[in-house]
Amino acid sequence: MTLATLSLEIRQFMAMFTVAGSQIFEAVAAGFVPNYDAFAQNNEATGGSVKTRRTLQSQPKEQVIVSLLHRGDTPITADYWQGMAALFAPQPFVTPSPILRMSWEGGQGAIASLMPFLSFGGGVLDRGADRSVEIGLASKLRLDGALDLISSISVGEQAIGFGLDDQRGLTGIAKAELGLNATLNHANRFFLRYEQSRYSDRAATDFAFGMSGARAESWTMGVESQLPDADLTIGVRNDYALFHGTFSLMTPGRMLKDGTILYDRKSYGIDRPVRLRPFIAMQHDTFGGTLSFGSSFGSWDRSDLEGVELSFSRQF
């Protein structure tokens, strides 16, 4: 009887496949649509048109302001933009959460205005999850009574979501904003705003992206016309997105006999082309309140409608 020895060799094979991004990342139902925010206007003014309510009221030369805000939605320079702050895209990747902001404003109504500020999440006081903090300075310089130069700079740590799951971690951020608001005539004005965010470097893990030298930017430009009972803005924007730096990702490379998975680190450069996206925003006084309408288009050379937003507000 012959004994046969059978030898079994187990080979490991690796397969590559592609899937749609919606199968990995949570799909966003709707993008940002520039629109007026009626609640950002002066709530103490009563009656009159949109234009009247947005007229700067007499305020103390120095004042301390304490505000409870929604992170990323309200820039520190909102008051300087006189109701147009809602036309600017919010910061990317920021975890939505309420923040407490304290600011001191000096020189209101004068040629120059300075406003140092401090913002922090609730976790700073009660040792909770949101321990974000931001400190900075905003300013406005008026030239010839018709041109406002607006700027701000800040540093801090915020909860940023770059991961493949719901995990959020504090990331260092430095932000800078530059803008101008120019009065062309009694009914029209031109505005331009640029903002850039720089993120601190972080190492890639098996559940989160890594990044090095990452920067994100956005800019918005347009002309606003003040009609008898309405405001109309037509402009173009370049959405807030990453434009510089390197992203790294840990991918499974091979598996040892004991089940240990060895990961490979892959790096990708960030490159972002300029894409002009037209938008239209309007607010109109009607039925004792304010009707706001905003629409955004996909690109300058195509008329595809990307998003529409309609809202109505009324003071009681």
Side-chain angles (χ1 to χ4, degrees), residues 3 161 232 270 303:
L3 297 178
L232 173 66
I270 300 174
S303 59

Side-chain angles (χ1 to χ4, degrees), residues 146-222:
L147 176 63
D148 290 341
L149 300 180
I150 301 170
S151 64
S152 69
I153 185 171
S154 66
V155 294
E157 288 187 332
Q158 295 184 10
I160 300 295
F162 283 114
L164 298 174
D165 54 19
D166 293 332
Q167 183 174 352
R168 300 293 186 266
L170 289 178
T171 300
I173 300 181
K175 295 188 301 181
E177 170 192 357
L178 294 174
L180 62 88
N181 187 7
T183 300
L184 303 178
N185 51 47
H186 71 282
N188 298 280
R189 59 176 173 172
F190 169 82
F191 64 91
L192 172 65
R193 180 180 184 267
Y194 174 82
E195 185 176 16
Q196 182 181 129
S197 298
R198 299 189 180 190
Y199 304 91
S200 60
D201 297 346
R202 54 184 295 173
T205 65
D206 57 351
F207 58 85
F209 292 107
M211 58 183 181
S212 175
R215 303 180 191 178
E217 68 175 357
S218 74
W219 59 266
T220 307
M221 177 176 61

